[in-house]
Amino acid sequence: MKKLLKTALISAGLLMSASSFAADYPSKNIRLIVPFGAGGGTDAVGRTLANSAKDILGTSISVMNRTGGAGAVGMSFGARQRADGYTLTVVTREIASLPQMGLMQNTADDFKLIRMVNLDPAVILVPADSPFNTVNDLIAEAKKTPGKVKFASTAAPNFYLMALEQDQDIKLNAVPYNGSSEAIPSVLGHHTQVTMVTPGEAIAQLRSGQLKALGVMSEERISYIPDVPTLKEQGLNVTTGTWRGIGAPKDTPDEIIEILGNAFDQAMASAEFKDFMAKGAMTIHPLKAQEFTDFVKQDTELLGKFIK
C-alpha cells in the first residue's frame, strides 16, 4: 500500500512539474534544426515559418542548418535533443524512407510530430521542343525502347520515378544528379530527356516556356500550373510528391506540443507565410499532430513497397 501511494505521489509530482513547465513555456529562445543546406527549399520554408511564428510565441526562433546524409544527420540530431520544446526539427519525407534503407537510425517514432506544413506533388517535365506531349507519349517510348529514355534523377533511389515505373511496368535510364538544380539544366541542355521535380523547383522554367509539363502527380490539378493535367486524368493511378513538417523529440510534453501547434497554425495562416509559399509555387497543407502522424505512417508503408 505504501509503495502504491509513493508511486502515485511521484506520478502526481511529475505531472505537476510538466504542467508547471508548460505554463511558463516558452521562456527562452527556440532552435529549429533544418536538415538541409541554407538557401534550399526546406531551409526557406523553415526560416519563413520560424519568422512568422516568433511573434505569436513571443520568443525568437533561430535556425540551425545541420546537413548530411540526405537529411539523416539533421533529423537524427534533432530527435536526440532534450525534450523540452526548445529544439524543434523540420522533418521531411526522408524520415519515412531513409530508415527503411538502412541509412538512418532514428525514425518518425522518435519524434512527436507537431504539424505538417506543406505537400507538393511531383511534375513530369521535358524540354519545350520534346516530341513527348503527354505522359502516355513518354510511356509508349519507354515500352518501345526499355532503359533508353534518359531520366535526370534528383535522388537515388528516386521514388517519383519508381512509382511511375512500377505502375506502368516500364524502365527508364536514371542518370543521377545532385538535386533539381542540376537535373533541370540537364533536361534543358538535352543531356537527358525527362525529369520529375516539384512545381516550385521548376516554376521559372515553366513560366518562361523552357520546359513542358506532361502531367502532375497529384489527386487534383494545382493552382500554380492549372493547365497541366494530372496523371489520373490521363489514365494512370499514380500520385506522389514530397512533404515537410515540424517535429519535437518524442518525450516532449503534450502541453508544449499543443502550444507549438497552435502557434504554427497561426503562422501558416499569416499573410507573410502565404505570400512566400505562393511566390515559390509551394502548397500549404496543414495537418494537425495526429493527422500528420497517421499520414507519415501511411507514407512509410507506401515507400516500403518500393524499397524492399
Side-chain angles (χ1 to χ4, degrees):
M1 184 67 181
K2 287 183 179 180
K3 185 175 181 180
L4 288 172
L5 180 60
K6 182 179 180 181
T7 301
L9 288 171
I10 291 173
S11 298
L14 288 172
L15 287 171
M16 289 177 65
S17 176
S19 297
S20 176
F21 180 71
D24 294 333
Y25 179 85
S27 60
K28 61 181 182 180
N29 293 346
I30 296 170
R31 178 175 58 170
L32 178 64
I33 306 299
V34 173
F36 295 96
T42 300
D43 176 71
V45 170
R47 287 180 186 274
T48 307
L49 185 66
N51 193 61
S52 298
K54 63 180 175 49
D55 290 337
I56 299 166
L57 288 166
T59 191
S60 295
I61 304 177
S62 62
V63 172
M64 172 189 284
N65 297 95
R66 201 168 181 94
T67 64
V73 172
M75 285 187 280
S76 290
F77 176 81
R80 296 168 184 168
Q81 299 307 296
R82 188 174 177 181
D84 57 5
Y86 291 102
T87 299
L88 310 177
T89 303
V90 177
V91 292
T92 63
R93 198 184 195 195
E94 284 73 16
I95 195 71
S97 62
L98 294 178
Q100 299 190 78
M101 298 164 64
L103 299 175
M104 183 176 174
Q105 291 185 341
N106 292 93
T107 70
D109 291 337
D110 294 311
F111 288 96
K112 273 187 180 174
L113 299 177
I114 303 170
R115 290 293 187 271
M116 178 184 275
V117 178
N118 84 291
L119 174 66
D120 286 313
V123 59
I124 302 174
L125 301 172
V126 296
D129 59 356
S130 170
F132 306 141
N133 291 307
T134 70
V135 69
N136 285 304
D137 292 340
L138 170 65
I139 291 167
E141 181 63 24
K143 288 183 176 180
K144 180 181 175 182
T145 58
K148 297 294 185 180
V149 176
K150 290 185 178 180
F151 173 80
S153 181
T154 58
N158 189 297
F159 293 110
Y160 304 159
L161 176 61
M162 292 171 73
L164 181 64
E165 287 181 329
Q166 187 176 91
D167 184 76
Q168 292 296 306
D169 191 25
I170 58 174
K171 187 67 178 177
L172 274 62
N173 178 12
V175 180
Y177 288 92
N178 186 25
S180 61
S181 62
E182 293 184 4
I184 290 171
S186 171
V187 172
L188 290 173
H190 296 85
H191 304 296
T192 50
Q193 295 159 272
V194 59
T195 191
M196 299 177 196
V197 299
T198 61
E201 291 173 311
I203 196 65
Q205 292 84 0
L206 281 167
R207 287 174 175 167
S208 67
Q210 293 174 283
L211 288 176
K212 178 168 57 178
L214 303 184
V216 61
M217 304 169 92
S218 56
E219 292 287 345
E220 299 177 349
R221 295 193 187 197
I222 58 175
S223 61
Y224 303 118
I225 44 174
D227 295 332
V228 179
T230 66
L231 267 63
K232 284 197 168 185
E233 289 178 73
Q234 300 178 70
L236 286 71
N237 187 29
V238 182
T239 57
T240 187
T242 191
W243 49 263
R244 302 179 180 97
I246 305 292
K250 65 180 180 180
D251 293 326
T252 304
D254 289 338
E255 295 89 344
I256 289 177
I257 298 297
E258 184 175 358
I259 291 169
L260 288 166
N262 290 333
F264 288 131
D265 285 341
Q266 294 177 60
M268 284 187 278
S270 69
E272 175 193 21
F273 192 72
K274 285 182 175 179
D275 289 347
F276 163 77
M277 296 295 279
K279 287 177 182 176
M282 292 182 284
T283 304
I284 302 173
H285 191 83
L287 291 183
K288 296 189 182 297
Q290 189 57 55
E291 295 173 312
F292 187 19
T293 301
D294 293 342
F295 176 92
V296 173
K297 182 178 180 181
Q298 292 169 5
D299 199 35
T300 301
E301 293 173 354
L302 173 64
L303 291 173
K305 296 176 182 178
F306 299 128
I307 294 168
K308 62 185 180 181

